[in-house]
Amino acid sequence: MITQLNIVGGVCILLALLHAVFPSYFHWKQELKALSLLNRQLMYVHTFFIVLTVFFIGLLCLTAAKDLVTTRLGNRIALGLAIFWALRLWVQFFGYSAQLWRGKPLETVVHVVFSLLWLYFTAIFFMVFWSGWKLYPFAH
C-alpha cells in the first residue's frame, strides 16, 4: 500500500506542476478577457488553490505514506481523500459535457485516462481506509 501511495503522490505532484501550462495552453488571457475582473481573478485564484491542494496531497503521500496506512488519523485522512477523488471522478462524467470529448480522438483518450486515474486514486485511498478500519473504527 505504501508503494501505491508513493505512486499517487508522484502523480499528484506531476498534475500540480502540469497546471502551470494551463493559462497558455488554454489561452486564458484571450478566453477570460470577456469575464469581469472578479470572475477572471476567481479562475486564477481557485486554480492556484486546486494546484496547491493536489500538490500537498502528493507531498503527503510521498512523505507520510506509512502514517496514512498505520495510524488512526491517517485512516481518516485516507477516507477523506477517497471521498475527494470519488467526487472528482463523478465530476468527470457529470460535471463536464460529453460534447467536450465524444467523437474527438485525443479528447476521448484524455477523458478515459483521467477517468481511470481518478478511479485509481479513489480505490487506493479507499483501500488504505478499509485496511485500517478494523484497527481504527470511528466508534473509538
Side-chain angles (χ1 to χ4, degrees), residues 31-107:
E31 293 280 336
L32 300 178
K33 192 178 273 191
L35 296 178
S36 68
L37 178 61
L38 175 61
N39 283 323
R40 191 168 47 249
Q41 289 182 345
L42 277 170
M43 282 291 297
Y44 285 108
V45 170
H46 284 170
T47 299
F48 172 77
F49 280 99
I50 290 167
V51 169
L52 196 60
T53 299
V54 172
F55 179 80
F56 283 137
I57 290 170
L59 205 55
L60 177 70
C61 290
L62 287 175
T63 63
K66 184 177 178 186
D67 293 318
L68 288 169
V69 173
T70 62
T71 68
R72 180 182 290 223
L73 177 60
N75 185 249
R76 283 154 177 75
I77 291 170
L79 176 60
L81 292 172
I83 293 168
F84 176 90
W85 290 112
L87 289 170
R88 180 58 186 90
L89 178 61
W90 186 88
V91 168
Q92 188 73 14
F93 290 95
F94 301 106
Y96 291 113
S97 170
Q99 291 177 340
L100 295 171
W101 58 269
R102 191 172 287 145
K104 302 173 185 175
L106 176 62
E107 289 84 348

Side-chain angles (χ1 to χ4, degrees), residues 8 15 17 27 60 72 87 91 94 98 112-113 119 130:
V8 168
L15 284 172
L17 295 174
H27 310 287
L60 177 70
R72 180 182 290 223
L87 289 170
V91 168
F94 301 106
V112 169
V113 166
L119 179 62
W130 191 251

